[in-house]
Amino acid sequence: MLTERYFASITGPPLTNNTAIAKDVGIYEHILHPSHSTAGTFKKSSAPRHCLAVSDAHVFSAQHEKSTVHVYSREKGNQEATVTFQERIRSIALQGDVLVLGTDQGRIIVWETCTGRQVTTPACHVQAVTCIASTPYHLITGSDDSNILVWQLPRLLERDTTIEHEPEQTLSNHRAAITSLAVSQSINRDTNICVSASKDKSCIIWNYQTGMALRTLLLPTSPMNLCLDPCARAFYASTDDGSMFAVELFAEKSLIGAQSAEASSTAVQVLSPFGSVTQETGPASSLGLSYDGTLLLSGHPNGQILRWDLSTKAVATEIANLNAIVSNILFTSPISTSRDTQPVSIVKPFLGSRSYNFTAQLESDQADETHFAKMLNSKGFSQDALEQAIISLQQPQPQASAAGDDELRKEIESLREINNELNALQKKTLQRYIEAKSAQK
């Protein structure tokens, strides 16, 4: 069975004097399957919403109302570095070895953690960047100024310093601050969708590459957090009154796509939540969706982490209590990605140009796979073995040389003479035996 893990961060002081919870712990690594348990903890961190990112080797945590990011080593379980920037950090997102940070002044900072290269954009947002969503090719940033900007990640990482860093698209249908973003990982231009939530009590489904609003959804109260299904079949939202909503995109009446019966300009009212929490628990301050999209976890201001079974829509059950505001829940993939190298440690960012040094650990054998290993890992006969057999059959057989034929002929003649002598000796011995038998009679 695959082991599914998630990271949860807290912000603010402890709510009660609970001695069962370790002090100074700000980030928890939990195992969800096969049984819920705590796999590790990281101390001295207070990460607000949208300020936690996790890679295979490190945990990045931007600190509340500060311009610093704490970096933790997952292997060693300790704090590896503290990185300070020039502006307060309001949101972060990780894409491969690139950490993207949104600042309080509306800028985007791109930090290449394996080399230390840093790229800073102008203040394209008028107010703070509150949330960031990323794909391997794009960044989507939401702000308190109600705008959403779409950036090309390769262009931001371009080494040509003369290139101006401008967003590719500006999505400006919202009328209040953006609270959350969720984006699909599809590489198809027609299915690249992004969902945004705003304090104007609406969620909008976008084709972020074309800048087109595919559908506007109206909720009773302001949505605060979003989660998108891994296959982009639905999204889940929590609102500030404690309600939990599930919106299916391709139900009997599809909201988007060719099967949609209504125009994209038609707004849809979403009125029926699939669940809600008590006033004591408080509205969800963070959401996390499992790898297969069947379980939804919600973190709350009273420290609870609730588990929602999306297949049955049963009442939520508490799986942990962190005794502080649960600000972030992030799932990690249970399937490890194949990489030839793994950075040993992060390189702190620097401004200006200089030479880049990349120090990494080899994660796999760099030598070519042996012929025996290929045959062992193939089903039946490997392609290489079949090709070699066909080539050997097509090649003409080598002809024996004339000298070799003479030696073989001489050898055959000598063996034939020896055989004739043995036959003559056998015949003579048999004749003497017959004569001896006759004399006895």
Side-chain angles (χ1 to χ4, degrees):
M1 177 181 291
L2 294 176
T3 301
E4 194 161 13
R5 300 169 182 262
Y6 72 92
F7 287 77
S9 69
I10 61 174
T11 185
L15 300 177
T16 61
N17 294 325
N18 191 341
T19 58
I21 299 177
K23 295 181 180 180
D24 297 333
V25 174
I27 302 172
Y28 295 81
E29 180 183 0
H30 292 291
I31 297 176
L32 183 62
H33 294 302
S35 61
H36 192 274
S37 60
T38 302
T41 58
F42 303 92
K43 296 184 177 182
K44 297 181 180 180
S45 176
S46 179
R49 294 175 64 241
H50 307 307
C51 285
L52 183 69
V54 180
S55 69
D56 293 338
H58 295 92
V59 177
F60 302 88
S61 171
Q63 300 305 293
H64 181 60
E65 295 295 331
K66 293 183 179 180
S67 59
T68 59
V69 174
H70 290 182
V71 183
Y72 300 90
S73 171
R74 291 184 60 180
E75 181 181 0
K76 299 178 182 178
N78 61 356
Q79 185 173 342
E80 182 177 307
T82 299
V83 183
T84 303
F85 296 89
Q86 294 181 340
E87 299 177 12
R88 288 182 179 179
I89 307 301
R90 288 289 301 275
S91 56
I92 65 175
L94 187 67
Q95 188 59 239
D97 291 326
V98 177
L99 186 70
V100 184
L101 307 98
T103 73
D104 201 39
Q105 302 299 318
R107 303 180 193 275
I108 302 297
I109 300 175
V110 181
W111 169 25
E112 201 171 55
T113 60
C114 58
T115 64
R117 189 161 68 99
Q118 175 182 325
V119 178
T120 303
T121 69
C124 294
H125 284 288
V126 180
Q127 298 183 41
V129 180
T130 55
C131 48
I132 303 174
S134 66
T135 72
Y137 307 102
H138 290 87
L139 294 175
I140 306 172
T141 59
S143 171
D144 280 337
D145 63 8
S146 78
N147 288 329
I148 300 168
L149 302 182
V150 181
W151 309 76
Q152 286 190 7
L153 184 58
R155 188 174 180 84
L156 290 175
L157 295 173
E158 179 64 49
R159 297 197 177 187
D160 187 355
T161 57
T162 62
I163 292 180
E164 295 183 358
H165 298 300
E166 296 291 338
E168 182 182 22
Q169 297 284 349
T170 299
L171 315 179
S172 56
N173 288 25
H174 284 294
R175 296 295 178 265
I178 307 300
T179 57
S180 187
L181 291 170
V183 63
S184 70
Q185 299 299 312
S186 172
I187 60 174
N188 188 329
R189 184 179 179 85
D190 297 328
T191 57
N192 276 334
I193 65 170
C194 169
V195 184
S196 59
S198 171
K199 289 184 178 180
D200 61 7
K201 300 181 182 181
S202 71
C203 291
I204 298 180
I205 306 170
W206 306 88
N207 185 320
Y208 62 85
Q209 286 201 41
T210 62
M212 181 182 297
L214 304 178
R215 182 69 69 179
T216 301
L217 302 156
L218 305 178
L219 284 78
T221 56
S222 298
M224 302 304 297
N225 298 280
L226 289 176
C227 272
L228 186 63
D229 180 83
C231 297
R233 300 167 299 183
F235 72 88
Y236 306 92
S238 64
T239 58
D240 56 6
D241 65 346
S243 300
M244 306 288 291
F245 290 89
V247 180
E248 294 189 18
L249 304 182
F250 304 100
E252 294 181 2
K253 295 182 179 180
S254 298
L255 296 179
I256 60 175
Q259 302 299 323
S260 177
E262 299 174 332
S264 59
S265 59
T266 304
V268 177
Q269 290 279 351
V270 181
L271 300 175
S272 302
F274 71 86
S276 61
V277 296
T278 62
Q279 186 175 1
E280 180 184 357
T281 302
S285 51
S286 56
L287 291 181
L289 192 62
S290 64
Y291 183 76
D292 59 1
T294 60
L295 295 177
L296 181 69
L297 300 187
S298 60
H300 297 270
N302 71 340
Q304 284 184 311
I305 297 179
L306 301 182
R307 167 176 169 165
W308 306 81
D309 191 337
L310 299 176
S311 60
T312 62
K313 301 292 176 66
V315 178
T317 57
E318 178 183 331
I319 59 174
N321 194 319
L322 306 184
N323 196 33
I325 300 173
V326 182
S327 54
N328 295 279
I329 295 178
L330 285 181
F331 274 88
T332 59
S333 175
I335 303 175
S336 60
T337 57
S338 59
R339 298 184 59 176
D340 292 335
T341 61
Q342 179 68 49
V344 177
S345 59
I346 61 102
V347 180
K348 290 186 177 182
F350 59 88
L351 295 174
S353 60
R354 74 176 192 188
S355 60
Y356 302 110
N357 296 322
F358 176 65
T359 303
Q361 177 181 353
L362 300 180
E363 293 289 330
S364 60
D365 189 1
Q366 300 301 299
D368 294 335
E369 190 177 14
T370 63
H371 179 64
F372 176 75
K374 290 181 180 179
M375 296 182 66
L376 188 64
N377 295 326
S378 300
K379 295 181 179 179
F381 292 101
S382 65
Q383 186 68 22
D384 293 341
L386 292 175
E387 291 178 356
Q388 291 179 3
I390 293 172
I391 292 173
S392 64
L393 290 175
Q394 292 176 346
Q395 290 178 349
Q397 296 298 324
Q399 298 294 329
S401 61
D405 290 346
D406 292 340
E407 292 180 359
L408 182 61
R409 191 178 299 106
K410 290 179 181 179
E411 185 176 356
I412 292 174
E413 290 295 334
S414 62
L415 290 174
R416 185 174 296 159
E417 290 177 0
I418 294 173
N419 186 51
N420 291 336
E421 291 178 358
L422 291 175
N423 288 337
L425 179 61
Q426 182 182 10
K427 186 181 296 184
K428 187 177 294 185
T429 303
L430 181 60
Q431 184 177 0
R432 288 183 178 180
Y433 173 76
I434 294 173
E435 292 176 354
K437 290 290 285 183
S438 300
Q440 289 180 359
K441 291 180 179 179

